[in-house]
Every structure is written in structure tokens, then in C-alpha cells.
Amino acid sequence: MTNHLFDPLFGRHAGSTAPFVTPKGGAPLSYAAFLDLSARMAHVFDGLGLKKGDRVAVQVGKSVPALAIYAACLRSGLVLLPLNTAYTVAELEYFLGDAEPGLVVCDPAKADGLQPILPEGATLLTLDATGAGTLMEAADKAPADHAPLPCGPDDLAAILYTSGTTGRSKGAMLTHDNLLSNARTLAELWRFTADDVLLHALPIFHTHGLFVAVNVCAMAGASMLFHPGFDLDAMLADLPQANTLMGVPTFYTRLLSDARFTRDATAHMRLFVSGSAPLLAETHEQFEARTGHRILERYGMTETNMNVSNPYEGERRAGTVGFPLTGVDLRITDPTSGDPLPDGEIGMIEVRGPNVFKGYWRMPEKTAEELRGNGFFITGDLGRVDEDGYVSIVGRQKDLIISGGYNIYPKEIEVVLDEMPEVLESAVIGLPHADFGEAVLAVVVPAPNTSPDPDALLEALRPQLARFKHPRAIRIVDALPRNTMGKVQKNVLREAFATTPA
Ligand code: MLC
Ligand code: AMP
């Protein structure tokens, strides 16, 4: 009896003294030591009475023990629910209520805030960025041998929440095989081996940092330099020890902004991968001119893992995301009728393959709207396939802002603004931003006989929404532009405020 994901990803490294993860400024941890840590944690989870399929919600800073929770969940057949550290208690209340985890792990500083919103019967354990807290206290006392629970390809490994156009977040259910198939494909396509050292500075609560970066490394037996976040000086300092980097476009524009990032400083590097948001062709070209390397851009989503990638060998074409991955079917359809369109035409990108999720947690209607009976997932991204087979993303049908690689659904902010007594209605748009790609601007129509102060409105958003979702500015207008159907014309707002520094 095997554990479909754990065994090939982690289990096969049992006893290996090869380095797996080196925390910034710390000593390398071998695969064997990491496996021991995850085994101890799995014993703690089992001891709490958690059963296969139970959810484990985790909102903690990035650290090696935080990563070990992922491996421990796999061992015990539990479903990891990683949560952005920026989420407020108000946001967490929804996730915990919806997913009903049996265990919540949080930073000790947040424990008091979370206690009142814990689901019935759930346990709360703590873990801080240094590894201290009740989880490690218990794990330190547990044995380091743990037999992974048998799990099949269709068993759930994780639920990742993604916001939606209605403002309500949906939990994307990812199976063992969704993650395993994608890790295998990417490790092979991007030529990862045990000789690779990845500079890892992405958060580990999203697909990119957790499943793309960590799973690809573990699949290949590679190692990671684990940085708690993106710090330019620290990145440049550790670059000589690494040979690969995965990042969002903001990583690359920030690196390019520093004169120390030169051809010499990158001469030893094997691969730079970009994704999660569009990489401007201009950035791609500047990067090549500066370093001689062509960034490899790929395209993915929480629901689908990675779908499309530029080639390792062959032309990495700027402004495109490359070719569908092995095993992934990609088609372009008419956004209204759903009928497939011929190559070259712009339409909805739909994808099908072993990487595509199982559906939204407890939302069968939402699942049916976005995941067709024939297995194609309707991505909400608009694109085309050129005569050479390269896929380009030309826009989004979904009303979504991507800021520094984080998805921000305008509806979620509009709902909160609209509830404020001084706001009649609001529209939230994304404007171009040099660092984050896009930044949030809110346009507000005051309620009758009020004159809201934008700073006061921003302050009122603070306890409700994670900081990265906050508008960079609020503009007050008399009315929102609408089309004949009464729909707010966000394109008109984007043009009107195009020059507003956001
Ligand atoms: C931080 N802030 C942001 C922000 N990140 N605001 C908007 N958008 C963001 N992405 C806020 C901070 O709270 C801070 O608020 C202020 O902006 C300045 O912060 P900073 O110090 O400049 O930010 P930093 O900590 O350096 O973070 C920037 C970043 C980070 C780009 C390094 O956001 C990041 O790591 N992004 C990666 C996201 C990611 O992993 N996406 C993958 C999703 S998976 P204040 O209060 O100081 O003003 C996916 C699928 C796929 O999409 O295909 O991969
Ligand atoms: P998420 O919901 O956080 O998984 O974000 C997925 C979305 O990020 C996709 O639907 C795309 O809109 C966007 N995305 C990911 N990779 C790219 C890319 N290389 N270029 C443009 N958009 C991307």
C-alpha cells in the first residue's frame, strides 16, 4: 500500500543525507532530517485523532517547520489548507467556517484572535517563524518513524482558496495525482536534478512557492535556499550559492533595478522561471540584455497547477507562455457559446489534464460552472495560440487584479466599501504599477449628503481585508460610468484614472 504523493516526492529520500532545505543564514537540513521532522509532526496530528481527509489550516510565517507541516499532512492523509499570512481575522473566519479544519496552526501572536473563531472540536497549535510554539513542543517528544498512510491518486492533498468574481472565496481541491503529475512533468521539462540549488523566496501558501518550487525540487532531489521573503540584498548575497530561481515578475524587475545584478553575477545560473502574472516583453528583453539569460515564462493557476510553459531548449518567446505541458489539452473557445475556435483567434483558454483540480470544496454549482463534464476547466483567461503553437495570454474575462503575483478580486473590496454608510457604491480597478505590475484603485460615489474622507475609508478597510488588497488610493466621483445595460464600465474608469499614481 502506497501513499501516492508522499512516497515518490519525499518517501524515496529516506535516509538521504543530501541537503534539502537551507534556511537563510542557517545550516542545511538533509532530506533525512526533514523527513524525521515531518514524521514527528505526523505523530502529533495522528495523536489528535485527525483522520484521513480532515483539513489542517495553517497560517504561519515561512520556515522549515512550516514546510514540514505539508509533508506531515501527506503522511497522515490530511488535507493541507495553507493561508496567506496577511489575512485578517475577518477573512480567516470565512475560511475556517467553510473548510471546518480539525486542526489550525497559527503564529502564537495570532492565537488569541483565532480562538473565538475556531470550528467546533478543532485544536489550535502554534508555530512561530523560529520554529517555537506548541506544535514543535509536541513534535519534539514524538518518535521520528512514521508509516505514511496509504493514499490513492484521487485523495485530496490540499485545498487552496482562491477568490471569485462574486467576492466569495472558493476552495480548490487538489488531489495527490494533480500535484504528483505536475511535479514530474515540470522537473523533467525544466531539467531539474539533484545538482540544482533553487533560491526560494516565494511564500509557501500558494501554488507557485509550494507546489511548483518545492515539489519540483523534491521530485528531483534538488535543494533550496529558503528565504522568508524577497529581500533584494539577501537575494543578491545568496545568488552565488544557487543556480536556479523561480519568481513572480516583480522579482525580476526588482533584480534589474539593482546595478549589482550583472552578467557576471548570473553567469553561473542555469534557469530563471517566471509566472503567476504577466512578464512584460520589455522586462524579458532587458533581462537578456543585462544577463544573457532568457527568462522561462510559464502559465498556471491554483485550480490547475501549471498548464503551459516555454521550452527549456528552443526559443523562449517573450510575451508568450509557451506550449501546453505534456498531458495537458488546451483549447481556445468562444467565451459566449463555448465552441472551440480555430488557431490564431482570441478566446477563452480552457485546459484539461491530470493537473486539473477535482472541483471547489462544497460548491458543486460553482464547480459545474467552471469545470465542464468533458474535463475542460474554463480558466477565465483570454488567449490565442499562434501558428507555431505558442500560447499568449491577451487578457482576462474575469474581473481580477494581479498585484505582485497576488490575486485581488475587485468584488471583494467593493462589497466591503459598499457596506460603509458614507459609500453609495464603488468600483475597484487595477492600474499599471511599475513594481507590482498592477495596483488597486477604488472609485467611490458618496452616499447622499455625505463627503467621505478617502483616508478614513482606507482606515476602515484595515481590519477587514489583507493589506495587499487595500487600494493604493481612493478617488471620489459623482457617479460611475455605466453602459446601456447598467453595468459599470471599468474600462472607462481605467482610462479616466490611467495617469493617477497608484
Ligand atoms: C506586499 N504588499 C503588497 C504586495 N506584497 N501590496 C500589493 N501587492 C503585493 N503583492 C504590501 C505590503 O503589505 C506593504 O504594505 C507594501 O505593500 C510594500 O511591501 P513590500 O515590502 O514592497 O513588499 P514585499 O514584502 O517585498 O512583497 C512583495 C512581493 C510579494 C512581490 C515580494 O508580494 C510576493 O512574494 N509575491 C508573490 C506572490 C505569489 O507567490 N504568487 C503566486 C500565486 S500562485 P505597507 O503597509 O508597508 O504599505 C499563482 C499560480 C501561478 O498565481 O501561476 O503561479
Ligand atoms: P491564481 O488564481 O492565484 O492561481 O492565479 C492564476 C492566474 O494568474 C491565471 O488565471 C492568470 O490570470 C495569471 N497568470 C499566471 N501565470 C501567468 C503568466 N505567465 N502570464 C499571465 N498571467 C498569468
Side-chain angles (χ1 to χ4, degrees):
M1 293 293 272
T2 60
N3 182 305
H4 191 72
L5 179 56
F6 180 85
D7 292 347
L9 201 59
F10 294 117
R12 76 188 168 83
H13 299 295
S16 165
T17 53
F20 174 46
V21 54
T22 308
K24 185 177 146 235
L29 200 76
S30 67
Y31 272 94
F34 179 79
L35 284 167
D36 282 0
L37 180 58
S38 71
R40 294 177 195 280
M41 286 187 182
H43 277 294
V44 176
F45 298 167
D46 296 345
L48 291 172
L50 297 173
K51 296 279 176 299
K52 188 171 173 179
D54 284 348
R55 277 77 57 212
V56 176
V58 181
Q59 192 198 32
V60 297
K62 184 175 170 185
S63 68
V64 171
L67 184 60
I69 296 177
Y70 164 48
C73 284
L74 292 180
R75 278 183 179 278
S76 293
L78 302 171
V79 182
L80 178 72
L81 168 47
L83 293 162
N84 194 321
T85 44
Y87 288 149
T88 61
V89 170
E91 289 166 308
L92 293 174
E93 190 166 9
Y94 170 77
F95 298 124
L96 301 187
D98 191 54
E100 297 185 303
L103 170 64
V104 178
V105 186
C106 72
D107 189 276
K110 295 220 168 142
D112 287 346
L114 285 183
Q115 198 71 50
I117 59 166
L118 272 194
E120 209 184 315
T123 306
L124 185 69
L125 293 177
T126 59
L127 178 72
D128 74 11
T130 69
T134 54
L135 172 58
M136 286 299 285
E137 280 164 25
D140 282 343
K141 293 184 205 122
D145 59 325
H146 179 274
L149 200 79
C151 285
D154 212 30
D155 283 327
L156 289 192
I159 297 179
L160 266 59
Y161 275 85
T162 85
S163 298
T165 43
T166 59
R168 230 183 122 210
S169 293
K170 304 165 287 185
M173 299 188 288
L174 295 160
T175 67
H176 278 235
D177 200 52
N178 290 154
L179 302 182
L180 179 63
S181 61
N182 215 233
R184 281 198 165 126
T185 303
L186 296 178
E188 191 186 324
L189 180 69
W190 297 340
R191 309 284 195 274
F192 269 79
T193 71
D195 293 331
D196 284 314
V197 181
L198 179 80
L199 185 48
H200 190 304
L202 288 161
I204 54 168
F205 43 70
H206 276 312
T207 299
H208 197 164
L210 185 58
F211 300 138
V212 184
V214 173
N215 286 1
V216 163
C217 285
M219 191 48 75
S223 75
M224 300 181 284
L225 298 178
F226 224 47
H227 284 210
F230 184 96
D231 176 278
L232 190 53
D233 288 337
M235 296 291 284
L236 290 168
D238 261 2
L239 204 58
Q241 275 74 55
N243 73 343
T244 44
L245 174 67
M246 294 184 192
V248 295
T250 302
F251 281 25
Y252 295 108
T253 49
R254 288 186 180 183
L255 286 167
L256 282 171
S257 73
D258 196 298
R260 291 171 293 175
F261 191 68
T262 59
R263 190 171 281 254
D264 277 354
T266 56
H268 65 289
M269 292 292 285
R270 181 177 76 74
L271 181 63
F272 294 94
V273 178
S274 176
S276 308
L279 182 77
L280 295 178
E282 184 191 315
T283 310
H284 199 284
E285 280 145 19
Q286 273 176 13
F287 198 91
E288 186 176 19
R290 175 88 69 89
T291 66
H293 291 280
R294 285 181 80 79
I295 297 173
L296 188 157
E297 185 173 9
R298 77 348 172 241
Y299 160 58
M301 295 185 70
T302 301
E303 288 91 335
T304 65
N305 300 286
M306 299 305 102
N307 295 307
V308 181
S309 169
N310 268 285
Y312 187 79
E313 274 143 20
E315 188 193 352
R316 299 177 193 166
R317 202 173 277 184
T320 81
V321 287
F323 307 112
L325 299 177
T326 306
V328 174
D329 294 328
L330 181 143
R331 65 181 195 179
I332 306 292
T333 58
D334 180 312
T336 313
S337 67
D339 294 337
L341 294 171
D343 277 2
E345 292 202 19
I346 292 174
M348 177 65 72
I349 301 177
E350 297 191 14
V351 292
R352 176 169 72 184
N355 50 316
V356 174
F357 75 144
K358 199 173 174 170
Y360 294 113
W361 172 255
R362 292 180 180 164
M363 284 189 182
E365 296 84 11
K366 275 274 158 221
T367 303
E369 272 171 31
E370 297 182 34
L371 191 56
R372 296 185 190 280
N374 62 7
F376 274 102
F377 176 68
I378 306 167
T379 61
D381 292 311
L382 299 172
R384 64 190 277 270
V385 182
D386 73 14
E387 61 281 6
D388 299 329
Y390 283 85
V391 178
S392 302
I393 300 169
V394 299
R396 297 174 208 133
Q397 206 193 36
K398 49 194 175 190
D399 188 13
L400 164 69
I401 299 165
I402 305 184
S403 172
Y406 285 145
N407 284 10
I408 301 169
Y409 278 84
K411 188 79 192 165
E412 206 183 338
I413 303 162
E414 290 160 4
V415 166
V416 179
L417 283 170
D418 292 352
E419 275 178 5
M420 296 183 186
E422 288 185 303
V423 175
L424 179 68
E425 59 174 354
S426 62
V428 167
I429 55 172
L431 292 180
H433 188 273
D435 187 29
F436 289 136
E438 282 184 282
V440 179
L441 180 87
V443 184
V444 161
V445 180
N449 307 317
T450 68
S451 44
D453 167 21
D455 288 340
L457 296 180
L458 286 173
E459 196 51 38
L461 283 174
R462 205 168 267 280
Q464 310 241 40
L465 296 172
R467 172 72 187 131
F468 69 88
K469 299 177 190 170
H470 293 189
R472 298 272 140 178
I474 292 188
R475 301 282 175 243
I476 308 286
V477 296
D478 293 337
L480 296 175
R482 292 184 186 275
N483 66 14
T484 47
M485 309 289 287
K487 194 170 175 323
V488 175
Q489 292 169 301
K490 292 201 168 176
N491 52 335
V492 173
L493 287 174
R494 275 189 287 268
E495 275 168 31
F497 292 102
T499 54
T500 305

